[in-house]
């Protein structure tokens, strides 16, 4: 594992129900910080960039994070990731059980209304 490539700090959050301390009303989902760790965000290979040239998008909307295999807690697929002030939902995980070196986590940016950017209000991709 090359630690010098892990230059981005990410934070994992679980989503739990709770109670608002001011109004005492129940809340549907409250993010609870689980832990933070260093991660590598690899750049998109040229082959994938050329193949997807018909679709306009930004890599930061669906990044891939490489984290250490051994973390303080096992990562759950329903957790959220915060990176550079934005929230991402986990769309895929690929732990390396053979070498136990790195785990790859695919994510998609979450917009404010709780849905992802792949489909908009009219159901068409890319519209918000």
């Amino acid at each position: 594992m090359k630690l010098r490539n892990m230059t981005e700090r990410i934070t994992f959050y679980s989503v739990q129900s709770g109670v608002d301390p001011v109004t005492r009303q129940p809340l549907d989902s409250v993010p609870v910080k689980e832990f933070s760790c260093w991660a590598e965000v690899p750049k998109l290979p040229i082959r994938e960039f050329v193949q997807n040239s018909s679709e306009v998008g930004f890599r930061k909307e669906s990044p891939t994070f490489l984290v250490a295999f051994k973390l303080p807690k096992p990562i759950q697929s329903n957790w959220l990731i915060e990176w550079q002030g934005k929230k991402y939902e986990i769309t895929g995980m690929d732990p390396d059980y053979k070498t136990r070196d790195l785990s790859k986590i695919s994510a998609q940016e979450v917009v404010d209304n709780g849905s992802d950017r792949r489909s908009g209000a009219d159901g068409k991709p890319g519209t918000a």
Side-chain angles (χ1 to χ4, degrees), residues 8-15 31-32 34-35 39-42 57-65 75-93 105-112 114-118:
E8 299 292 329
R9 193 76 174 163
I10 62 173
T11 304
F12 290 92
Y13 289 91
S14 63
V15 180
V32 176
E34 295 293 335
F35 63 91
E40 177 183 349
V41 183
F58 295 98
R59 179 68 172 166
K60 289 185 179 180
E61 291 177 0
S62 57
T64 300
F65 301 102
I75 299 170
Q76 304 299 318
S77 60
N78 61 346
W79 285 3
L80 296 173
I81 298 173
E82 183 177 3
W83 175 55
Q84 295 185 345
K86 295 182 181 177
K87 299 269 192 208
Y88 297 87
E89 63 183 0
I90 297 174
T91 58
M93 294 189 299
I105 301 172
S106 301
Q108 178 72 35
E109 185 178 352
V110 177
V111 294
D112 291 337
S115 64
D116 60 24
R117 290 188 177 216
R118 287 177 278 182

Side-chain angles (χ1 to χ4, degrees), residues 20-70:
D20 186 358
V22 177
T23 63
R24 305 280 186 218
Q25 297 296 323
L27 299 173
D28 290 336
S29 58
V30 177
V32 176
K33 182 178 177 180
E34 295 293 335
F35 63 91
S36 294
C37 67
W38 291 100
E40 177 183 349
V41 183
K43 63 182 182 178
L44 188 64
I46 293 176
R47 183 180 334 166
E48 290 182 31
F49 182 76
V50 172
Q51 287 176 350
N52 296 331
S53 62
S54 61
E55 298 177 19
V56 177
F58 295 98
R59 179 68 172 166
K60 289 185 179 180
E61 291 177 0
S62 57
T64 300
F65 301 102
L66 298 175
V67 297
F69 183 83
K70 293 182 180 179

